[in-house]
Amino acid sequence: MTSTLELIVFSGLIGVIIGSFLNVIILRVPKNENISLPASHCMTCQKPLKWYHNIPIFSWILLGGKCAFCKEKISIQYIIIEFLTACMFISIALRIDSVSEAFIYSILFSMLLALSVIDLKYKAVPDCISIPTLFVSFLVGDFFNSFSSALFLIGGFTLLRFVVSWIIKKDAMGEADIIIAGIIGATVGVELGLIAIYISALMALIVFFILSKKEYELPFIPFLAFGLYITWIFSEQATNLIRIIYE
Ligand SMILES: [Zn+2]
C-alpha cells in the first residue's frame, strides 16, 4: 500500500520527466527533426547541454532561465509544460486506482497536451501524433464502445464542419479537430463527449471575445483537450448531472 503523499510525489516526478520529453516532441516533431539526436542543445549558441543543465524545472530555476554558456534566455514554456504534466499525472493517479489504466490515461493526456501546444505554436498539428493519439484513446475502455463513440462524434463533427463551412463560406475547423472529437468520444463516450465539446466551445468563445482580434485564428485543439480533461476528471459529477436532466 502506498500513501497518498507517496503517490503524489511519485506521479509528479514521472510527470516532470515526461513533460521534459514532451518539450522535445513539441520542439522537434513539427520541424521533422529526430527526437533523440542531436542531444539537447541551446537554441541560440547550439552548445550541447550538460546533464545538470537538463534536470526538469530545477535546472531552469538554478540557471535563472538563461543558457549556461551564452546567457541567452530560455523560454519559460519548458517549465510550464513540465509543471502542467506533473499536475496532470498527479490528478490521474489520484482519480484512477489501477496502475495500468492510469498509465494509458497518462499517455493519452500527455499526447493531447503536446498536440495543444503544437497547435498554439504552429496552427497545425502533425498526423504522426494525432492519429496515434486516437488509437491510444481506443484502449482506455471497452474497445468496441470506444470505437463506436469515436465514430459517432467524428461523423457529427464532420457534418457540423460541412454545414458551418457552407454558412460562413470558408473552411471551419481543421481535420485535426475532427480527430480530437473522435478521441473525446472514445475517452468519455458520446454523452459526456458532447458536454466536453460544449465546454470547449464556450471557453473558446470567451477567449475569442477577450482577445477580440478578428484576424487571429484561434486554435481549437487546446480548448477541446482541456474540455475533455475537465469532463473526464469530473465525469462522475457530469454523469449525475445528465441523469438529473433526463429524469
Ligand atoms: Zn546558449
Side-chain angles (χ1 to χ4, degrees), residues 4-227:
T4 309
L5 183 68
E6 281 168 350
L7 191 68
I8 290 174
V9 172
F10 181 68
S11 52
L13 276 177
I14 296 181
V16 270
I17 295 165
I18 299 298
S20 174
F21 177 64
L22 292 182
N23 276 320
V24 177
I25 291 180
I26 291 162
L27 200 67
R28 298 190 183 182
V29 172
K31 295 182 197 159
N32 280 323
E33 288 174 1
N34 192 309
I35 54 170
S36 53
L37 287 166
S40 300
H41 53 271
C42 167
M43 286 293 117
T44 310
C45 65
Q46 309 297 331
K47 283 219 174 93
L49 303 183
K50 300 262 192 280
W51 67 268
Y52 49 86
H53 295 149
N54 220 357
I55 304 164
I57 301 183
F58 295 102
S59 295
W60 193 93
I61 294 169
L62 285 175
L63 294 169
K66 290 178 189 133
C67 168
F69 307 107
C70 67
K71 306 290 171 203
E72 186 69 29
K73 269 191 186 165
I74 306 167
S75 169
I76 195 163
Q77 181 201 309
Y78 295 102
I79 58 165
I80 291 175
I81 288 168
E82 284 158 3
F83 180 73
L84 282 180
T85 315
C87 294
M88 210 166 70
F89 274 42
I90 292 169
S91 65
I92 292 168
L94 291 176
R95 190 188 174 288
I96 298 272
D97 288 330
S98 143
V99 176
S100 59
E101 269 185 52
F103 178 73
I104 298 172
Y105 279 109
S106 300
I107 294 176
L108 175 68
F109 283 110
S110 297
M111 291 169 96
L112 283 168
L113 179 61
L115 284 169
S116 301
V117 182
I118 292 172
D119 196 27
L120 269 174
K121 287 182 75 150
Y122 300 94
K123 306 279 154 58
V125 296
D127 290 339
C128 66
I129 305 180
S130 61
I131 305 284
T133 311
L134 180 63
F135 284 111
V136 172
S137 73
F138 292 153
L139 303 175
V140 297
D142 171 70
F143 181 84
F144 180 74
N145 270 339
S146 297
F147 186 72
S148 53
S149 302
L151 274 189
F152 188 86
L153 284 190
I154 286 175
F157 241 61
T158 309
L159 192 69
L160 187 69
R161 182 191 189 206
F162 179 74
V163 173
V164 174
S165 304
W166 182 71
I167 292 171
I168 64 172
K169 302 265 184 289
K170 71 175 190 186
D171 271 345
M173 299 185 274
E175 263 147 45
D177 296 335
I178 292 170
I179 295 174
I180 308 293
I183 294 168
I184 291 176
T187 311
V188 292
V190 172
E191 280 184 355
L192 288 180
L194 291 175
I195 292 182
I197 292 170
Y198 178 76
I199 293 172
S200 318
L202 209 61
M203 286 189 301
L205 215 61
I206 293 167
V207 172
F208 184 78
F209 279 113
I210 291 172
L211 293 175
S212 68
K213 287 184 205 159
K214 287 203 178 66
E215 293 303 308
Y216 182 71
E217 213 179 298
L218 205 60
F220 198 31
I221 292 176
F223 293 103
L224 286 171
F226 189 63

